[in-house]
Amino acid sequence: MGHHSNWAEWIYIGVVISLMAWVGSEAWNAERLVDHIPADAEVIKVTGQQWFWTFEHEDGTIEKGELHVKTGKAYKFEVTSKDVNHSFNIHDYVVLMDAVPGRINTVWFAPTDVGEFPIQCREYCGLIHYNMRGTLYVEDGST
Amino acid sequence: MKSIFGLFLVLAILVIIPIVDYAFAAGDEPGQYVDRRVIIWNLFYRMMTVAFTVGAVVSGTIIWLVWRFRESNPKATPTPYEKEGIW
């Protein structure tokens, strides 16, 4: 029986493992950066219920259906629900976190662009899920 | 032995470079926070590039194989069954 060289197979294994290691490390790194909440982030409690969002700031101010934040500051959302599963989504800032009753999920962001951005629910929660929306108002934080 | 060492050296470099690159990239002072949109969308673009490249290589290989080993290919050689007429 002739002995055949298997360098081609080793190269194939090397390429596959390299690709998986690269993809894995890039994804792990992105998650590490995105999940690292700055220590000075202002906490905002987000409560979802059928079919609207309530926001409570650190100073006790409560907003319903809209949220006012400033540029240049970090905000940490503690997201929960009062009834069924919802999902808190600010599409333009890639903020997406499930609102689960009895549980607090955490997500943070630091807005950079002044303007109005839609907030929506991204987990089917009943008849008016499609219209469970809000508005994020980002104001200039330098003034 | 040398080939395995070379293989692991290449792997080590390919894993360490993106990690070291990003470990020094993020600033955390007030007003200097990472932009999650940039991180997430860039990751998406890189993953899409990898996915389409791998897809192109795999599907290109399959297409080449199917075309090369079709029965009507002038380079096709008869199988032992066709040569000897024994099934």
Side-chain angles (χ1 to χ4, degrees):
Chain A
M1 211 50 169
H3 177 72
H4 90 278
S5 149
N6 52 9
W7 63 268
E9 282 86 347
W10 279 114
I11 295 213
Y12 177 73
I13 290 172
V15 165
V16 169
I17 294 181
S18 305
L19 266 176
M20 289 169 65
W22 180 52
V23 167
S25 61
E26 292 266 19
W28 179 83
N29 219 5
E31 187 166 346
R32 180 184 67 84
L33 289 167
V34 163
D35 281 354
H36 169 62
I37 304 176
D40 60 345
E42 177 188 322
V43 177
I44 297 179
K45 293 189 180 144
V46 179
T47 305
Q49 65 191 93
Q50 287 168 324
W51 286 279
F52 61 98
W53 295 102
T54 306
F55 305 100
E56 183 181 338
H57 292 263
E58 268 177 347
D59 61 3
T61 316
I62 292 187
E63 298 188 85
K64 284 195 178 160
E66 56 185 57
L67 175 61
H68 290 79
V69 295
K70 290 185 166 12
T71 59
K73 287 188 64 179
Y75 296 91
K76 170 179 154 187
F77 297 115
E78 292 179 349
V79 184
T80 189
S81 164
K82 277 196 172 162
D83 37 46
V84 299
N85 286 355
H86 303 272
S87 193
F88 178 58
N89 178 221
I90 308 174
H91 175 79
D92 293 299
Y93 278 101
V94 196
V95 170
L96 181 67
M97 187 53 70
D98 282 352
V100 177
R103 182 186 168 85
I104 298 177
N105 285 329
T106 305
V107 61
W108 79 278
F109 86 135
T112 51
D113 304 330
V114 171
E116 296 174 18
F117 306 93
I119 297 171
Q120 56 193 357
C121 177
R122 287 294 293 238
E123 183 67 36
Y124 180 70
C125 55
L127 281 179
I128 314 187
H129 156 71
Y130 76 96
N131 216 23
M132 184 169 163
R133 299 172 187 270
T135 308
L136 174 75
Y137 296 93
V138 181
E139 292 150 0
D140 190 2
S142 58
T143 50
Chain B
M1 203 56 215
K2 261 204 283 184
S3 52
I4 295 181
F5 172 76
L7 168 69
F8 279 108
L9 183 63
V10 167
L11 289 178
I13 290 171
L14 280 171
V15 169
I16 286 170
I17 282 179
I19 294 176
V20 169
D21 184 34
Y22 278 104
F24 289 101
D28 213 20
E29 293 84 46
Q32 195 195 347
Y33 306 104
V34 294
D35 191 334
R36 64 187 293 124
R37 295 174 293 179
V38 168
I39 294 172
I40 294 170
W41 277 109
N42 283 352
L43 182 66
F44 172 76
Y45 297 139
R46 278 195 299 269
M47 295 301 110
M48 278 293 129
T49 304
V50 170
F52 274 89
T53 305
V54 169
V57 167
V58 170
S59 52
T61 303
I62 293 172
I63 292 167
W64 179 83
L65 282 167
V66 166
W67 184 250
R68 165 63 183 85
F69 293 102
R70 72 190 191 281
E71 195 174 359
S72 57
N73 189 321
K75 281 200 209 155
T77 54
T79 64
Y81 301 102
E82 286 152 346
K83 259 199 299 235
E84 293 161 38
I86 303 170
W87 296 99

